[in-house]
């Protein structure tokens, strides 16, 4: 069997390459094997990635066991939680393209034959998948696993017995509102995150891990294994073996991540109530795969599946509960009549074959299609005069009484301005909080409005105000919120022409977002909008001048 690394390893003209590998300790025997790159985003900053060093060793052992030569290279992995609410959040979404570029460059520079991707958190997973799509090799993704949740029964706002990292920010709002005292707040800080791993709720990190499995690029039953469980290491070993099987059978990532597979992922996302950020990431992944998918088709596919798993922030359960109930295989089995079951997966089997042994061990956690948590979908795409190119919301995390919200606009020109206003109690029940100039270009980097929403929820205003923005939200947000409003203010979108007091209708039931009795065409012709001065340099300068709109996945174009 021939593989592409032979191009630079065989014959006297490539002795220099063999010598370089030998200088690192590789043997003549190893250099006759396929070279499998392990992309490791380990660092000691991001707790979701702390396990990856141990996992990499097990992946190497799995590759070697099946006759491959493993080589390892690193890429960055930023922690959204640490970057949240300050200037660092501007860099987080842009890291997705940095990671993709790293993978493309390293793989092509060294003519690698296959890939195992190791990551856990929000932008790292899609960045890795996008990079892998560009080079189109046999590929397996394996995540580092979620953290175990904190245990808190009395006063639990989610109604269960577990809490997660995002509850800390919500508790700041409760502290400021006098709902809890300083001692209680400190207890939450010290007990909400008891172990390493990606955050224990269904944020973007765990959502993307689940969707990688749903698309078939990660092994069945791998996404929700807690980071501290021994099974996490054995799945790494099995992933190393799996990539070799793909190589032997000639299957590449584009054979697995097809349009049908992405639509399966959209349906699973709706069923689990996944993060709003996956709209950006799946659109970007489709672009990398040269698959035709737009934001409105995403919304139509999402509508076909109701919300079936009430995980934090849309319910009381965590990834631990989901794992123990059967995880992604169980939810896919519950909705299999709605899925394309003939999709190939990284096991070299189809989805249908993989689901033969799937079982739902807890119907209270994973509901059936005929007994959903909510009849509405997990993610919805809205459209109207305020967002003609679309906007994103999460019906599964919006209280019933706030699904249709109407109120006057309370405008903030940036996230930081909004945080000051909220902490100073400038936002009142009934307001529609508008945070603009935070899109991919305007941010730049499309930062999350996570803190603003969490503060409002902690102040018991989560269902009494609605937050709308051209920025985005965290997967851990709940309450009434709409993000990704397109065109963004920096693209001269209608949101730039809103005024304080304009009446805004957010109708999630009917899929619309409108500024009532506002003629935006007239305002665009008569009103002079002063651009917000956000001077940037370095990578953010390059990003701002290259990035596409959020309705296209906030991609940086890589082809004509």
């Amino acid at each position: 069997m021939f593989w592409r690394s032979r191009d630079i390893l065989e014959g006297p003209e490539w002795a220099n390459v063999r010598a370089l590998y030998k200088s690192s300790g590789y043997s003549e025997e190893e250099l006759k094997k396929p070279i499998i790159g392990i992309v490791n985003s380990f660092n000691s900053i991001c707790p979701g990635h702390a396990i990856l060093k141990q996992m990499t060793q097990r992946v190497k052992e799995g590759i070697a066991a099946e006759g491959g030569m493993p080589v390892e290279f690193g890429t960055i992995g930023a922690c959204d939680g640490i970057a949240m609410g300050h200037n660092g959040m501007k860099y987080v979404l842009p890291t997705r393209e940095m990671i993709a570029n790293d993978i493309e460059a390293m793989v092509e520079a060294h003519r690698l034959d296959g890939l195992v991707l190791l990551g856990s958190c929000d932008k790292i997973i899609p960045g890795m998948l996008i990079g892998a799509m560009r080079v189109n090799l046999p590929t397996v993704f394996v995540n580092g696993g979620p953290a175990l949740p904190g245990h808190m029964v009395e006063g639990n706002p989610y109604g269960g017995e577990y809490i997660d990292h995002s509850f800390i920010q919500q508790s700041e709002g409760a502290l400021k509102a006098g709902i809890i005292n300083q001692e209680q707040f400190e207890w939450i800080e010290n007990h909400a995150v008891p172990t390493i791993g990606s955050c224990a709720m269904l944020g973007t990190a765990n959502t993307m891990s689940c969707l990688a499995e749903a698309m078939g690029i990660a092994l069945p039953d791998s996404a929700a294994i807690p980071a501290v469980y021994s099974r996490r290491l054995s799945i790494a070993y099995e992933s190393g073996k799996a990539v070799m099987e793909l190589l032997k059978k000639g299957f590449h990532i584009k054979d697995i991540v097809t349009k049908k597979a992405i639509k399966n992922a959209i349906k699973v996302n709706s069923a689990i109530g996944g993060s709003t950020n996956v709209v950006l990431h799946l659109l970007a992944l489709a672009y990398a795969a040269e698959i035709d998918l737009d934001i409105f088709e995403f919304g139509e596919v999402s509508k076909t599946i109701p919300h079936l798993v009430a995980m934090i922030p849309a319910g009381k359960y965590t990834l631990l509960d989901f794992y123990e109930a059967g995880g992604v295989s169980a939810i896919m089995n519950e909705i299999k009549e709605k899925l394309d079951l003939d999709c190939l997966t990284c096991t070299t089997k189809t989805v249908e074959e993989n689901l033969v042994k799937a079982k739902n061990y807890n119907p209270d956690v994973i509901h059936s299609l005929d007994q959903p948590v909510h009849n509405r979908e997990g993610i919805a795409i809205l459209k109207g005069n305020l967002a003609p190119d679309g906007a994103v919301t999460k019906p599964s995390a919006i209280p019933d009484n706030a699904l249709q919200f109407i109120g006057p606009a309370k405008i903030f020109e940036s996230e930081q301005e909004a945080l000051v206003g909220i902490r100073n109690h400038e936002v009142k029940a009934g307001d529609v909080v508008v945070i603009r100039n935070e899109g991919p270009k305007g941010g730049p980097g499309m930062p999350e409005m996570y803190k603003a929403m969490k503060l409002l929820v902690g102040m018991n205003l989560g269902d009494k105000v609605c937050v709308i923005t051209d920025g985005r939200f965290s997967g851990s947000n709940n309450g009434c919120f709409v993000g990704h409003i397109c065109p963004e203010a920096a693209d001269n979108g209608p949101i730039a022409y809103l005024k304080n007091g304009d009446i805004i209708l957010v109708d999630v039931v009917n899929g619309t977002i409108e500024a009532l009795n506002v003629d935006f065409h007239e305002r665009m012709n008569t009103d002079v909008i002063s651009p917000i001065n956000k001077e940037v340099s370095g990578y953010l300068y390059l990003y701002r001048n290259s990035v596409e709109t959020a309705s296209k996945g906030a991609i940086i174009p890589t082809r004509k």
Side-chain angles (χ1 to χ4, degrees):
M1 182 180 178
F2 183 84
W3 44 87
R4 66 184 212 151
S5 63
R6 311 277 18 107
D7 292 343
I8 61 169
L9 284 172
E10 291 185 344
E13 66 271 30
W14 297 110
N16 61 318
V17 176
R18 295 193 297 273
L20 289 169
Y21 273 118
K22 289 175 181 178
S23 73
S24 296
Y26 292 101
S27 69
E28 193 82 42
E29 178 187 0
E30 287 175 296
L31 291 174
K32 294 176 181 177
K33 299 176 180 180
I35 301 177
I36 307 299
I38 302 171
V39 188
N40 186 1
S41 53
F42 165 80
N43 61 65
S44 59
I45 299 173
C46 180
H49 289 211
I51 188 66
L52 297 184
K53 185 180 290 187
Q54 292 171 265
M55 289 178 62
T56 300
Q57 182 58 39
R58 294 295 284 146
V59 171
K60 289 178 180 178
E61 291 165 3
I63 292 168
E66 294 298 318
M69 174 179 145
V71 296
E72 178 187 354
F73 66 90
T75 188
I76 60 173
C79 177
D80 281 52
I82 295 173
M84 197 72 68
H86 59 87
N87 197 56
M89 180 47 71
K90 298 179 187 298
Y91 286 86
V92 172
L93 180 59
T95 66
R96 187 186 69 183
E97 271 56 39
M98 296 172 74
I99 292 165
N101 293 341
D102 282 355
I103 292 171
E104 179 187 356
M106 285 295 288
V107 168
E108 299 294 28
H110 303 101
R111 297 291 289 169
L112 304 182
D113 300 306
L115 288 172
V116 179
L117 312 170
L118 284 93
S120 279
C121 293
D122 296 29
K123 315 307 171 291
I124 296 89
I125 298 172
M128 288 182 160
L129 295 179
I130 290 166
M133 294 301 294
R134 293 183 191 171
V135 297
N136 193 29
L137 297 177
T139 302
V140 176
F141 169 78
V142 55
N143 65 311
L148 294 180
H151 194 247
M152 175 180 162
V153 177
E154 185 177 350
N156 188 307
Y158 302 116
E161 58 179 302
Y162 293 127
I163 56 174
D164 71 295
H165 169 265
S166 70
F167 179 53
I168 299 170
Q169 191 65 63
Q170 186 171 320
S171 298
E172 184 199 340
L175 179 67
K176 289 187 177 298
I179 298 169
I180 62 172
N181 60 35
Q182 184 64 34
E183 182 180 357
Q184 291 169 309
F185 180 75
E186 290 175 1
W187 186 94
I188 292 165
E189 177 184 339
N190 292 326
H191 292 84
V193 195
T195 74
I196 60 168
S198 48
C199 298
M201 82 299 183
L202 190 63
T204 309
N206 291 320
T207 301
M208 285 305 303
S209 295
C210 289
L211 299 194
E213 183 179 329
M215 286 186 286
I217 201 63
L219 290 179
D221 305 316
S222 63
I225 303 167
V228 294
Y229 279 21
S230 58
R231 179 66 179 134
R232 180 50 62 195
L233 295 178
S234 61
I235 207 76
Y237 176 79
E238 291 166 19
S239 297
K241 294 182 67 176
V243 75
M244 291 301 299
E245 188 67 15
L246 289 173
L247 181 74
K248 292 171 186 176
K249 293 186 175 179
F251 293 138
H252 298 71
I253 188 171
K254 285 188 177 181
D255 298 316
I256 296 170
V257 182
T258 62
K259 184 163 187 177
K260 287 183 177 180
I262 291 176
K263 289 172 75 173
N264 280 350
I266 294 170
K267 293 172 184 178
V268 169
N269 183 68
S270 191
I272 62 178
S275 168
T276 52
N277 284 315
V278 304
V279 180
L280 293 171
H281 299 327
L282 292 184
L283 290 175
L285 185 60
Y287 172 80
E290 300 183 68
I291 291 168
D292 184 23
L293 177 72
D294 69 28
I295 191 170
F296 297 110
E297 184 177 7
F298 187 112
E300 290 304 310
V301 174
S302 190
K303 285 179 183 178
T304 64
I305 303 292
H307 181 215
L308 302 181
V309 187
M311 278 188 275
I312 296 172
K316 64 182 180 180
Y317 298 114
T318 66
L319 263 290
L320 177 62
D321 299 300
F322 184 57
Y323 171 66
E324 292 175 345
V328 175
S329 291
I331 192 67
M332 291 183 77
N333 200 47
E334 290 291 350
I335 64 172
K336 65 181 178 181
E337 65 191 69
K338 303 281 190 177
L339 299 176
D340 284 297
L341 298 175
D342 60 345
C343 290
L344 178 71
T345 73
C346 67
T347 65
T348 75
K349 298 178 181 179
T350 64
V351 170
E352 185 171 26
E353 291 173 307
N354 287 346
L355 292 180
V356 168
K357 296 182 180 180
K359 183 177 179 181
N360 184 353
Y361 294 95
N362 190 342
D364 289 336
V365 175
I366 300 175
H367 289 223
S368 61
L369 276 170
D370 58 357
Q371 292 184 313
V373 177
H374 297 112
N375 287 313
R376 54 189 181 267
E377 67 270 38
I379 293 291
I381 306 302
L382 308 185
K383 187 177 183 180
N385 70 349
L386 191 50
D389 292 342
V392 179
T393 190
K394 186 174 179 177
S396 57
I398 298 177
D400 291 347
N401 64 314
L403 289 168
Q404 292 174 303
F405 196 100
I406 187 168
K410 174 69 175 177
I411 296 175
F412 297 100
E413 300 295 350
S414 68
E415 176 194 14
Q416 293 304 321
E417 185 178 301
L419 291 174
V420 171
I422 292 167
R423 286 170 172 146
N424 288 338
H425 303 282
E426 294 173 16
V427 174
K428 309 299 181 185
D431 286 344
V432 176
V433 176
V434 179
I435 308 176
R436 60 192 179 194
N437 305 300
E438 297 291 8
K441 295 177 184 176
M446 204 181 182
E448 293 178 349
M449 303 301 106
Y450 162 87
K451 277 200 170 187
M453 196 68 239
K454 280 293 180 184
L455 285 172
L456 291 166
V457 170
M459 294 174 174
N460 279 337
L461 290 172
D463 62 344
K464 299 176 182 64
V465 302
C466 187
V467 178
I468 68 172
T469 180
D470 53 7
R472 57 193 178 88
F473 288 96
S474 166
S476 65
N477 279 125
N478 58 320
C480 183
F481 60 93
V482 180
H484 307 214
I485 288 176
C486 292
E488 61 172 293
D491 277 336
N492 203 42
I495 191 172
Y497 294 87
L498 278 177
K499 299 177 181 179
N500 279 309
D502 284 342
I503 302 301
I504 296 172
L505 171 65
V506 175
D507 188 344
V508 177
V509 176
N510 293 299
T512 60
I513 178 167
E514 294 274 340
L516 303 182
N517 302 314
V518 174
D519 186 337
F520 282 115
H521 293 292
E522 181 182 348
R523 287 190 183 180
M524 287 178 181
N525 288 328
T526 60
D527 293 4
V528 177
I529 301 299
S530 299
I532 302 302
N533 183 23
K534 293 184 180 179
E535 291 187 6
V536 292
S537 59
Y539 179 47
L540 289 183
Y541 176 84
L542 297 174
Y543 186 83
R544 168 183 277 173
N545 287 282
S546 304
V547 69
E548 291 275 9
T549 176
S551 62
K552 294 183 179 181
I555 61 166
I556 292 178
T558 53
R559 61 177 184 269
K560 290 185 179 179

